[in-house]
Amino acid sequence: MSDEKKTYNGRIQFYERGYVGIKDYDDKVIVSPDLGYSEIRERDDENAAIVRKGEKWALTDLDGKPLCSFIYDRIVYIGEHCYKAGVYVKPDNGELIVEYADTRMTYAILSEKGEVLCDRNKEYNYIAEVHEGEITAAINGKCGVIDIHGNVIMQLKYKYIQPMGEGHYLVSLDNEDNYYSTIINREGKVLIPASMGYRSIYHFHHGVARANKNAKWGLIDESGKHVSDFDFNFIEEWGEGYYKVEKGAKKNILRPDGSIVLKEWFNDVFEVTNGFFIFGNTIRKSKTNPKTRYIEGVAHVNGDIIFPMIFERVRWLESKEALYAEIGTKPYILTLDGGIYDPQRR
């Protein structure tokens, strides 16, 4: 045995005679190399694995039992417990009609149980990731939107189209440079034209999306109007409908109505969980500070500081009902009502 490595599910992959197996930490073999698998790809949030046997791929359960036949030339996870599974149907003549679609291949969509949700006879040779049950698909370079069963939601007539949530679609149109983003609705009506100058627009949540314009970031509504200031260096979704925003090296939390949560800005703000988030600063090594230190506290999205930055480490417990914190090597449990439990009873 050699070349052991940990999988996403906390198990160990090992190899014998060129075939891969999986065992647990007690050395119990879960998937035997005798099955002849040459590659096993797992995800920590899925009950299926993408497995190669010979030159073909299939889905198996986490114990190695095949969930479908080994007939596919490619299988890729596309989100929401779905996989695209492709088979080559044309010879490789080096001709691709569009840069993102390999027209030699047609795809099926599989569930995590190996069930065929969308058959290959629909002839989709491009399938993107699932978003809210919708998928960008293409046949020979013409894009539209389908559901996970392959039913057409938006006709396959666009240069490119991408579901952006809540009935919004980012579209590229023929005979346009498409440098700036255009958003349409399901009926094809333009909601945000390219003339508004947004370089990037991301997914909509409750009628709000993050966007980039003139190298700055902010929030917009479905008509393209500004919901927040547009003076952030970056903005990203940060849990429960909130956003992390950056100005230089400093960070804060932004509400979906465009207001800032904390009065001060900090070096770090962690994702929002149950309406709370961890924030902190870095104290760099200096003449008066012999080593770099990290101090952290806990705040609520209403702007209240629940615990000031007196801890050197704060992390959520697995249950998400309380937090674990340290001052030096001393452990503490922080409750969401502002209480501190001291296990050492000091």
Side-chain angles (χ1 to χ4, degrees):
M1 295 184 185
S2 61
D3 298 326
E4 294 186 353
K5 65 177 182 179
K6 185 177 179 181
T7 73
Y8 285 112
N9 288 290
R11 306 186 298 175
I12 303 296
Q13 285 194 2
F14 66 97
Y15 291 84
E16 287 183 354
R17 305 178 306 281
Y19 298 116
V20 62
I22 292 180
K23 62 185 178 180
D24 61 21
Y25 282 129
D26 295 324
D27 265 352
K28 178 183 177 182
V29 175
I30 307 299
V31 180
S32 172
D34 294 338
L35 292 172
Y37 299 154
S38 56
E39 190 170 348
I40 299 175
R41 300 176 183 175
E42 295 182 358
R43 293 177 56 88
D44 61 357
D45 55 352
E46 288 295 299
N47 294 315
I50 301 173
V51 176
R52 182 177 182 179
K53 187 174 185 178
E55 296 300 319
K56 298 295 184 178
W57 295 84
L59 293 180
T60 74
D61 64 19
L62 297 183
D63 293 334
K65 180 181 177 182
L67 299 172
C68 63
S69 300
F70 280 87
I71 61 173
Y72 298 105
D73 296 301
R74 187 184 186 207
I75 298 182
V76 177
Y77 181 71
I78 57 174
E80 298 185 17
H81 309 296
C82 293
Y83 299 78
K84 65 178 180 182
V87 172
Y88 287 116
V89 294
K90 297 179 182 179
D92 183 3
N93 57 12
E95 295 181 1
L96 302 182
I97 292 180
V98 288
E99 63 182 13
Y100 53 80
D102 186 342
T103 57
R104 297 171 297 164
M105 182 175 286
T106 57
Y107 284 100
I109 298 176
L110 307 180
S111 74
E112 65 175 348
K113 295 181 179 179
E115 303 162 326
V116 176
L117 302 176
C118 169
D119 196 271
R120 287 193 305 109
N121 62 16
K122 294 184 182 292
E123 299 185 338
Y124 297 124
N125 46 39
Y126 174 79
I127 288 179
E129 292 189 351
V130 187
H131 183 72
E132 296 180 359
E134 297 184 342
I135 307 168
T136 299
I139 297 178
N140 295 335
K142 289 296 183 179
C143 285
V145 177
I146 63 173
D147 64 19
I148 62 173
H149 299 287
N151 300 312
V152 175
I153 297 172
M154 301 279 287
Q155 288 186 3
L156 279 68
K157 64 179 183 179
Y158 297 97
K159 183 177 180 180
Y160 192 77
I161 186 171
Q162 181 179 347
M164 304 303 288
E166 301 178 351
H168 302 83
Y169 302 88
L170 178 69
V171 65
S172 295
L173 304 172
D174 289 326
N175 303 318
E176 293 187 15
D177 61 20
N178 294 296
Y179 182 79
Y180 295 110
S181 298
T182 299
I183 298 293
I184 65 174
N185 63 13
R186 191 167 291 176
E187 289 71 41
K189 178 183 177 181
V190 175
L191 302 178
I192 302 176
S195 59
M196 296 190 76
Y198 290 112
R199 184 67 184 90
S200 303
I201 299 175
Y202 289 81
H203 294 107
F204 282 82
H205 298 286
H206 303 294
V208 173
R210 55 194 176 105
N212 177 284
K213 184 175 185 178
N214 298 326
K216 292 295 184 179
W217 293 80
L219 298 180
I220 61 173
D221 66 15
E222 61 184 5
S223 67
K225 294 180 180 178
H226 290 189
V227 174
S228 74
D229 293 334
F230 256 74
D231 60 353
F232 305 117
N233 297 115
F234 192 62
I235 179 172
E236 60 184 309
E237 295 171 15
W238 216 232
E240 301 183 1
Y242 293 86
Y243 301 85
K244 179 177 76 171
V245 287
E246 300 179 5
K247 283 188 176 181
K250 297 294 186 178
K251 302 174 180 65
N252 211 320
I253 298 291
L254 186 70
R255 299 185 181 96
D257 66 2
S259 60
I260 293 291
V261 168
L262 297 174
K263 294 179 180 179
E264 295 183 52
W265 290 63
F266 298 90
N267 295 134
D268 276 305
V269 289
F270 293 77
E271 289 193 36
V272 177
T273 303
N274 296 327
F276 296 85
F277 60 94
I278 301 163
F279 67 98
N281 275 336
T282 302
I283 303 175
R284 300 294 180 187
K285 181 178 179 180
S286 65
K287 292 182 179 180
T288 57
N289 185 49
K291 65 176 183 178
T292 299
R293 295 175 54 236
Y294 304 94
I295 53 174
E296 295 178 337
V298 180
H300 190 270
V301 291
N302 66 8
D304 290 340
I305 302 296
I306 310 303
F307 296 98
M309 293 185 296
I310 61 173
F311 303 101
E312 294 171 15
R313 184 172 186 263
V314 182
R315 295 295 180 268
W316 284 96
L317 298 180
E318 187 174 352
S319 67
K320 307 298 184 184
E321 295 178 355
L323 303 105
Y324 171 84
E326 294 178 355
I327 299 178
T329 59
K330 307 298 184 184
Y332 299 89
I333 300 297
L334 312 181
T335 63
L336 300 185
D337 60 2
I340 299 180
Y341 171 62
D342 178 1
Q344 297 184 352
R345 299 183 179 180
R346 291 174 296 105

